[in-house]
Amino acid sequence: MRTANEGTARRVLMIAGFLLLAANLRAALTSVGPVLETIRADIGLTAGEAGFIGTLPLLTFAVVSPQIPRLAGKLGTDRLLWLALALLATGIVLRSLPVTGLLWVGTVLLGAAIAAGNVLMPSLIKRDFPDHVSAATGVYTAVIGIVASTAAGVAVPMADALPGGWRTALGVWAGFVLVALAVWTPRLSRRTQRAVPEVHKGRTPWRSLLAWECAVFMALSATGFYTVLSWYPSILVSYGTTATAAGWLLFAYQIIGVVMSLVVPLLLVRLRDQRAVASTSSLLAMVGYLGLLVAPDLAVVWVLVTGIGAGALFFLALAFFSLRAADPRSSAALSGMGQSVGYLVAAVGPTLFGALHDATGGWRVPLSVLVGVAAAHALIGLRAGRDAHVEV
């Protein structure tokens, strides 16, 4: 018979594993950007090849995500997440070795591992925290944001200080993954592996209108978020902001997203559904884009407004995979579909934004497109945020 102390220990271990898993879902990606130019110069990549280092994980997400629910049904959620962590550590190490081809192999492997974590986290929340979905999702996204920002911030100092330069700066994150693996391992010893069962034949989220609404919401959220991360410093500098100030504004944008991940769940507990929060957040993002377009002298204000809207939207996009699902199995299937669509669009969005700038010679047209995207986001939020469920 399980004692109270044993039950508490299991709960603490479960929460620790959950937090460490979340902490490892972005650091391997965000640590690359600050040292990308160093990587390019060191191994002789073209600018396009260097840019593809950032795009490749997103494409891997799009390809791998739909396969994860079926694998979870066969292996069990906990076991598959353990294997994903092992694959993540392997990918990080391979990417850091002094063999140019392994840079690409490691990036694909770590992208596949992160895709598994991305897809299964909403299902894990639905399973382990069924009465606290919004709060658990908020903590999950906040941890991701904090560690992602930290990884980006320390990348250059570590590359300068550690032997091995950028390779070591990227490789050290494998140690953080090993800590998560150690904490996650006891979950594999349980007699009953709580798996996400395979999707029933003939029933798929790809045929559900609500699932498509959630997927489009995710796609628009990810597109806006990654476009801002990619291009806002360049936009701000072109409008007269110093490069240092632009960097700090981008940091503030990300930190605001973390704060919103903790604030929005407090709002949701008072509401019957999420339509009002989804549409209002989209409109805030639209005001931020529009403000930068018509009054760039107030860039600080508009970046902060955009950060509030975009931070809430990214939280909601992830939360919908739990909130709109009838059970953990459906959550995994919905998450696999939504993240496949979302990250495929996100991989293309920043590239198209840059192409529009090149074609028009300025930022007015690209920013106008972002305004239109935010308006569409508000409309789809009224659909994805309603109190309904996908069941597969």
Side-chain angles (χ1 to χ4, degrees):
M1 185 174 180
R2 186 186 301 175
T3 66
N5 286 340
E6 288 175 337
T8 300
R10 286 178 180 271
R11 188 70 175 174
V12 169
L13 196 62
M14 179 184 72
I15 294 173
F18 168 75
L19 294 175
L20 282 168
L21 180 60
N24 279 287
L25 290 181
R26 289 297 180 275
L29 303 179
T30 59
S31 57
V32 174
V35 295
L36 188 58
E37 186 59 29
T38 304
I39 295 172
R40 189 177 78 84
D42 185 40
I43 61 179
L45 299 177
T46 67
E49 289 170 340
F52 194 61
I53 294 175
T55 303
L56 186 56
L58 299 181
L59 295 176
T60 305
F61 293 171
V63 172
V64 173
S65 294
Q67 315 307 321
I68 298 303
R70 190 169 299 278
L71 287 174
K74 293 178 179 179
L75 299 175
T77 303
D78 296 333
R79 185 173 291 113
L80 182 55
L81 284 170
W82 189 93
L83 291 172
L85 286 169
L87 184 64
L88 177 58
T90 301
I92 292 173
V93 170
L94 289 178
R95 183 181 63 177
S96 302
L97 294 177
V99 180
T100 301
L102 292 181
L103 171 67
W104 306 105
V105 174
T107 299
V108 171
L109 292 181
L110 67 86
I114 293 172
N118 287 341
V119 170
L120 291 179
M121 282 298 274
S123 176
L124 193 71
I125 290 170
K126 188 77 171 179
R127 187 193 73 182
D128 291 348
F129 308 97
D131 298 324
H132 306 282
V133 168
S134 294
T137 304
V139 171
Y140 151 54
T141 52
V143 168
I144 285 178
I146 291 170
V147 177
S149 300
T150 301
V154 301
V156 172
M158 285 200 300
D160 291 340
L162 297 175
W166 66 266
R167 296 184 186 278
T168 306
L170 298 185
V172 294
W173 293 103
F176 198 35
V177 181
L178 293 179
V179 174
L181 266 173
V183 174
W184 201 261
T185 297
R187 297 172 70 104
L188 306 182
S189 64
R190 296 180 300 177
R191 290 183 179 181
T192 303
Q193 274 285 312
R194 291 184 289 175
V196 177
E198 284 193 74
V199 177
H200 296 319
K201 292 182 179 179
R203 303 188 69 177
T204 168
W206 295 89
R207 297 178 182 176
S208 165
L209 177 60
L210 177 58
W212 273 106
E213 290 162 350
C214 291
V216 172
F217 191 91
M218 173 65 184
L220 296 179
S221 299
T223 298
F225 182 79
Y226 284 106
T227 298
V228 169
L229 286 183
S230 298
W231 289 109
Y232 255 40
S234 299
I235 296 173
L236 294 173
V237 168
S238 74
Y239 285 149
T241 305
T242 66
T244 300
W248 279 111
L249 284 173
L250 191 63
F251 176 78
Y253 169 85
Q254 295 179 76
I255 293 302
I256 290 170
V258 172
V259 173
M260 295 307 297
S261 296
L262 300 174
V263 170
V264 174
L266 301 178
L267 299 176
L268 296 187
V269 296
R270 303 172 181 272
L271 302 172
R272 291 182 55 189
D273 57 43
Q274 300 81 42
R275 288 177 295 180
V277 176
S279 58
T280 300
S281 301
S282 301
L283 293 176
L284 280 173
M286 184 173 70
V287 168
Y289 302 143
L290 188 60
L292 193 58
L293 180 63
V294 300
D297 290 343
L298 298 176
V300 173
V301 175
W302 306 130
V303 170
L304 298 181
V305 171
T306 304
I308 293 172
L313 290 170
F314 206 75
F315 161 79
L316 286 172
L318 297 175
F320 283 163
F321 297 140
S322 298
L323 295 171
R324 294 288 82 83
D327 48 54
R329 178 192 65 238
S330 301
S331 179
L334 177 59
S335 180
M337 172 192 169
Q339 299 208 41
S340 176
V341 173
Y343 284 114
L344 180 61
V345 175
V348 176
T351 301
L352 292 179
F353 190 87
L356 280 175
H357 169 264
D358 291 341
T360 62
W363 297 110
R364 296 190 64 83
V365 172
L367 284 172
S368 298
V369 170
L370 272 185
V371 171
V373 167
H377 212 164
L379 294 177
I380 201 69
L382 293 175
R383 298 287 301 173
R386 69 191 193 279
D387 187 16
H389 297 92
V390 174
E391 184 173 5
V392 298

